[in-house]
Amino acid sequence: PKQFAVLGIGRFGESLIKELVRMGYEVLAVDVDADLVQEAMEYATHAVQADAMEESVLKSLGIKNFDAVIVAIGENIQSNIFTTILMKELGVKKVVAKAGNALHGKVLEKIGADMVIYPERDMAIKLARTLASQNFLEQITLSSDYSIIEISIPRSFINKNLRQIGVRPRMNVTVLAIRRGDEIIVVPGPDQNLINGDILVVLGHNQDLDDLSDID
Amino acid sequence: PKQFAVLGIGRFGESLIKELVRMGYEVLAVDVDADLVQEAMEYATHAVQADAMEESVLKSLGIKNFDAVIVAIGENIQSNIFTTILMKELGVKKVVAKAGNALHGKVLEKIGADMVIYPERDMAIKLARTLASQNFLEQITLSSDYSIIEISIPRSFINKNLRQIGVRPRMNVTVLAIRRGDEIIVVPGPDQNLINGDILVVLGHNQDLDDLSDID
Ligand SMILES: Nc1ncnc2c1ncn2[C@@H]1O[C@H](COP(=O)(O)OP(=O)(O)OP(=O)(O)O)[C@@H](O)[C@H]1O
Ligand SMILES: Nc1ncnc2c1ncn2[C@@H]1O[C@H](COP(=O)(O)OP(=O)(O)OP(=O)(O)O)[C@@H](O)[C@H]1O
């Protein structure tokens, strides 16, 4: 089974450790803060108090044997950057590092992070879209132009079928599925009737999806 | 056009302000930190230095006229909680508050937050799923049992078509779309050939999706 090391037990690090453990993986938690390490002993496979930049400690922990090391150190950007490059130096095959902003993220890419994540930025963008559109529920970004979104049914669609609404020819989007309570209607046909409470799972160009979510 | 107020210009607050402005909305940024307010003047519609718990200041800003107020104060949980309840007291119709953990979130719900978000936790869970499955790229949760996921093409699917692979009859999942470079093939037919590098957008029951992402 895979084993992971999470460096930094902040809110992000703690949730990551707990979810990986819940999924059945072995997780080593590392932090300089003794209290956080003490707490982490309750839910992590192992928890060690250490400075993630201490080469000797990391070597003794066999850090390069982990399937992935996640650098979840936040406010201290210098520690975050130096820890990341050290991981690559020590031969860790997959290093995931958390960036606080775009410039920080560029530095991490250049010094060898295999994956850079922007938790605050990504969630902010997701929230912005939810706030912008009353009926916007969730989304997957397929490419820079295409997405899949979930929207609650516009009132003008209720009790009509897909052909009458003309979703594909007029609005240039594809209804991939309809969520009706706990039921999922997959790849609905043109005669599929829509009812109040339906949630539409739609694929299309971002601009067309924005127009769709403005429909009343 | 809608107007929003973001209280707290941390990494999350800043990204939220920028995205809402990019979408064309008016955004008021508020923080106690003068430097952050100075920076925010460059990208927010308005930026004001203030303590978000100062009732008189908030009233003079006409806080209850905003379509939504987002409490993006982080580390200071007490400020975050007191600011949230104050927003509701002042008649703000929609208050979104950022929670650092589940208990904090429960408090926010009880005191009237219209929406509670957990950016660090949600991103950690998303990352955990990506780390767990080699080819797991993104996912939308449709219901407690069904999801849409993106996976990179299993090697055994390359140069076969959907009928040969038998995705629907054998694996009980539906390929909604194929991402090929910048191209998107929507609702592919049974004769659709798959090639190396394809990314499959698949809908199914969570257990069947897990089985699918284990295929080599
Ligand atoms: N050199 C280091 N070695 C080990 N742990 C460290 C080091 N530097 C910082 N940390 C720890 O990393 C953790 C996360 O950092 P911090 O709280 O600054 O980030 P954050 O981005 O605000 O976190 P989050 O948003 O996940 O709550 C802290 O618990 C801190 O003690
Ligand atoms: N009472 C207050 N009024 C206005 N702003 C406040 C108040 N308390 C804290 N802030 C501001 O909120 C901002 C975000 O808070 P903080 O940095 O503690 O949270 P965070 O969760 O680590 O942020 P992020 O993860 O978004 O970077 C800070 O810039 C801080 O100055």
Side-chain angles (χ1 to χ4, degrees), chain A residues 2 4 11-12 15-16 19-20 23 25 68 70 74-75 94 96 98 100 115 117-125 127-132 134 138-143 146 148 150 168 174 176-177 179 184 186-187 201 203, chain B residues 2 4 11-12 15-16 19-20 23 25 68 70 74-75 94 96 98 100 115 117-125 127-132 134 138-143 146 148 150 168 174 176-177 179 184 186-187 201 203:
Chain A
K2 287 191 184 177
F4 300 100
R11 293 162 298 191
F12 178 80
S15 290
L16 180 61
E19 181 66 7
L20 287 169
M23 288 171 133
Y25 299 107
I70 300 90
E75 307 275 335
K94 185 166 187 173
V96 180
K98 178 164 102 88
M115 187 181 180
I117 52 178
Y118 303 81
E120 298 85 5
R121 181 199 72 177
D122 288 359
M123 286 303 290
I125 290 174
L127 175 63
R129 288 175 180 164
T130 306
L131 291 170
Q134 286 286 27
E138 273 230 50
Q139 99 156 41
I140 264 182
T141 305
L142 293 184
S143 68
Y146 279 86
I148 294 175
E150 272 198 321
R168 209 161 179 174
T174 305
L176 299 175
R179 255 214 287 151
I184 312 255
V186 184
V187 192
V201 183
L203 185 155
Chain B
K2 285 191 185 177
F4 299 99
R11 293 162 298 192
F12 178 80
S15 290
L16 181 60
E19 180 66 8
L20 288 170
M23 288 170 134
Y25 299 106
I70 299 92
E75 307 274 335
K94 185 168 186 169
V96 180
K98 178 163 101 90
M115 188 179 179
I117 52 178
Y118 301 82
E120 297 85 4
R121 182 200 69 178
D122 288 359
M123 287 302 290
I125 290 174
L127 175 63
R129 288 176 180 163
T130 306
L131 291 170
Q134 285 288 24
E138 273 231 49
Q139 99 159 40
I140 264 182
T141 305
L142 293 182
S143 68
Y146 279 86
I148 293 175
E150 272 198 321
R168 209 160 177 176
T174 305
L176 299 175
R179 248 210 295 150
I184 311 255
V186 184
V187 192
V201 183
L203 184 155

Side-chain angles (χ1 to χ4, degrees), chain A residues 42-206:
Chain A
E42 299 302 307
Y43 55 83
T45 316
H46 298 109
V48 168
Q49 183 183 0
D51 184 329
M53 296 191 286
E54 273 298 322
E55 200 164 331
S56 52
V57 179
L58 297 167
K59 274 183 180 163
S60 69
L61 288 169
I63 200 74
K64 71 171 180 163
N65 301 323
F66 286 81
D67 291 278
V69 175
I70 300 90
V71 182
I73 294 163
E75 307 275 335
N76 192 332
I77 295 186
Q78 187 171 312
S79 290
N80 172 295
I81 290 172
F82 288 0
T83 299
T84 299
I85 197 167
L86 186 60
M87 290 308 127
K88 294 312 287 180
E89 298 275 292
L90 294 176
V92 175
K93 28 177 153 39
K94 185 166 187 173
V95 179
V96 180
K98 178 164 102 88
N101 60 56
L103 211 54
H104 179 188
K106 286 207 176 79
V107 171
L108 292 171
E109 281 171 22
K110 295 233 182 261
I111 63 174
D114 298 284
M115 187 181 180
V116 178
I117 52 178
Y118 303 81
E120 298 85 5
R121 181 199 72 177
D122 288 359
M123 286 303 290
I125 290 174
K126 195 171 174 204
L127 175 63
R129 288 175 180 164
T130 306
L131 291 170
S133 161
Q134 286 286 27
N135 47 13
F136 199 110
L137 297 164
E138 273 230 50
Q139 99 156 41
I140 264 182
T141 305
L142 293 184
S143 68
S144 53
D145 298 319
Y146 279 86
S147 303
I148 294 175
I149 67 167
E150 272 198 321
I151 61 165
S152 44
I153 184 172
R155 225 170 314 158
S156 55
F157 286 21
I158 297 175
N159 295 329
K160 294 199 174 74
N161 66 34
L162 290 179
R163 192 199 328 267
Q164 290 169 317
I165 299 163
V167 185
R168 209 161 179 174
R170 282 184 39 229
M171 300 167 196
N172 206 23
V173 299
T174 305
V175 180
L176 299 175
I178 299 164
R179 255 214 287 151
R180 186 168 289 174
D182 280 335
E183 192 198 344
I184 312 255
I185 303 159
V186 184
V187 192
D191 296 325
Q192 178 67 50
N193 208 32
L194 302 186
I195 64 177
N196 195 9
D198 276 351
I199 292 176
L200 310 179
V201 183
V202 189
L203 185 155
H205 198 283
N206 290 334

